[in-house]
Amino acid sequence: MRLLPVRTAVRVPAVAAVLVPAVLVPAALVLAALVAGPAAADERPGAAGFTIGDPRIKESSGLAASRIHPGVYWTHNDSDDGPYVYTVDSATGRTVARVTMTGIGTPRDVEAISLGPDGQLYVGDIGDNRDGTWDHVWIYRFPEPKELHDATVRAEQFTVTYADGPRNAEALMVHPVTGRVYIASKNEQRGGLYEGPERLSADGNNVFRRVADVPWVTDGAFSPDGGRLTLRGYFWARTYPWKDGRPQGEGDRVDAPWQGQAESVTYTPDGRTLMFGAEGANSRVVAVPVAPSGAPGSAAPSGAASRPAAGGPTGEAAGAPAGGPGGGYGKGALVLAVGTALVLGGKRLFRRRPTG
């Protein structure tokens, strides 16, 4: 569902636009380094950011890391594309295969994809552009192919309803241990996390029941060990401990990248990196290292401007700076201080110049 202008990163205002005297160049270089952040390469397959180069993928709305094809990610378009899912090689950004699903109806608003412990892909046709007026939505399921090439597969189709009535949703997560399916609804006042039945049935209706309140969610993902659930929105992301089938507490803030139409998130198979995606042509998938357990926030994403998390269940306002270790506020304050010093230093130097 398109709600915001499509952007894959926010440009940092150029300090170079100010005439900086030569004596202040070292300070300017320090400022540039602070803004750029760490740039160390990650040699693990699929753990570095990449750009989706396929012109057919204009509204990437979900991500799932393959478990049998290292460095490969599954994705799909939002609405108006058809029964297709794509595999993208993160090393090149190129599409390896397009899989066409048969045995299902016409997809309406595909919003999410997740890989279950049974080795099957779950595709969530769960969006509702009429804002919660469809009396049912669908989940499609098919085994992850062992070989990657353009192919047609027969998928199972599951009908889904909510115990408390229709709603719009963009996040579908399959628990990697229990195989249970969860959906997070999208609502600016109060969304919900919904739990599906222990096993989905293709023969009847699958009722999902609300088990927790969540903020405005555009996607989510379980860690590979099933111990954490990460949810993201347009301006925030948080990771919650997962216990007894429920998210615990208020979660830890994640330094998610600012991506405009921020639509997707998944873990790498080893659980050490979160991959954040967005809609748009040539959209960028940004890698963010996972913080140690219990530590707030995580390392800033490499190669993209980050924005403090906001809009989470703690009541943080969208776009408001969030403090604490690992947060974006400390770095932002330091950048502002250095920038101010550059300008003031330049003014003093120009005032001291003798007149001709």
Side-chain angles (χ1 to χ4, degrees):
M1 177 184 293
R2 186 175 302 283
L3 291 176
L4 295 176
V6 176
R7 299 182 179 89
T8 56
V10 167
R11 292 184 179 273
V12 177
V15 177
V18 179
L19 294 177
V20 181
V23 294
L24 294 178
V25 167
L29 293 176
V30 171
L31 175 60
L34 286 170
V35 173
D42 196 326
E43 299 300 326
R44 290 173 295 137
F50 61 96
T51 298
I52 298 175
D54 191 332
R56 297 172 296 180
I57 307 175
K58 298 178 180 178
E59 296 185 5
S60 175
S61 192
L63 279 176
S66 172
R67 296 201 192 106
I68 60 178
H69 304 291
V72 167
Y73 289 86
W74 290 90
T75 190
H76 55 83
N77 281 309
D78 199 331
S79 53
D80 302 326
D81 184 34
Y84 309 119
V85 291
Y86 303 81
T87 56
V88 179
D89 182 357
S90 62
T92 63
R94 296 177 180 174
T95 296
V96 180
R98 184 176 81 164
V99 173
T100 303
M101 296 181 289
T102 62
I104 63 174
T106 302
R108 288 186 299 206
D109 192 358
V110 178
E111 291 286 356
I113 188 168
S114 184
L115 187 60
D118 53 4
Q120 300 202 78
L121 285 158
Y122 292 69
V123 181
D125 190 358
I126 56 175
D128 189 342
N129 288 326
R130 298 179 182 177
D131 198 24
T133 57
W134 288 329
D135 61 3
H136 67 279
V137 291
W138 299 298
I139 294 172
Y140 313 124
R141 184 177 71 184
F142 63 92
E144 182 178 21
K146 294 181 180 179
E147 296 181 2
L148 294 180
H149 51 77
D150 289 357
T152 299
V153 300
R154 187 166 186 84
E156 293 179 277
Q157 178 169 309
F158 304 97
T159 300
V160 170
T161 62
Y162 301 95
D164 52 359
R167 54 211 57 245
N168 189 20
E170 294 192 7
L172 178 147
M173 299 78 63
V174 182
H175 194 273
V177 177
T178 67
R180 202 152 195 163
V181 181
Y182 295 83
I183 294 174
S185 68
K186 179 179 177 180
N187 187 284
E188 59 184 288
Q189 276 82 37
R190 189 181 66 172
L193 181 66
Y194 290 81
E195 179 185 70
E198 186 175 356
R199 294 289 180 268
L200 296 179
S201 171
D203 298 327
N205 184 36
N206 296 274
V207 180
F208 278 61
R209 304 183 185 280
R210 192 181 189 112
V211 296
D213 293 338
V214 294
W216 182 298
V217 175
T218 59
D219 201 13
F222 283 107
S223 60
D225 63 2
R228 290 168 292 175
L229 172 66
T230 295
L231 299 175
R232 82 164 304 177
Y234 291 125
F235 308 111
W236 65 277
R238 298 189 81 84
T239 295
Y240 303 85
W242 186 262
K243 184 179 180 182
D244 300 327
R246 304 289 184 269
Q248 305 295 309
E250 296 181 344
D252 293 326
R253 186 174 62 82
V254 177
D255 284 335
W258 164 243
Q259 292 177 297
Q261 192 72 13
E263 291 281 338
S264 57
V265 64
T266 192
Y267 280 85
T268 53
D270 60 11
R272 292 167 54 190
T273 305
L274 281 162
M275 308 295 287
F276 290 90
E279 288 190 4
N282 297 309
S283 62
R284 182 74 181 165
V285 176
V286 180
V288 177
V290 172
S293 180
S298 64
S302 175
S306 64
R307 182 184 182 92
T314 56
E316 298 159 334
Y329 180 75
K331 179 181 285 188
L334 187 55
V335 169
L336 180 61
V338 175
T340 302
L342 286 174
V343 175
L344 293 179
K347 288 182 178 179
R348 292 193 187 100
L349 186 61
F350 281 123
R351 281 202 301 266
R352 291 173 183 172
R353 285 183 176 179
T355 56

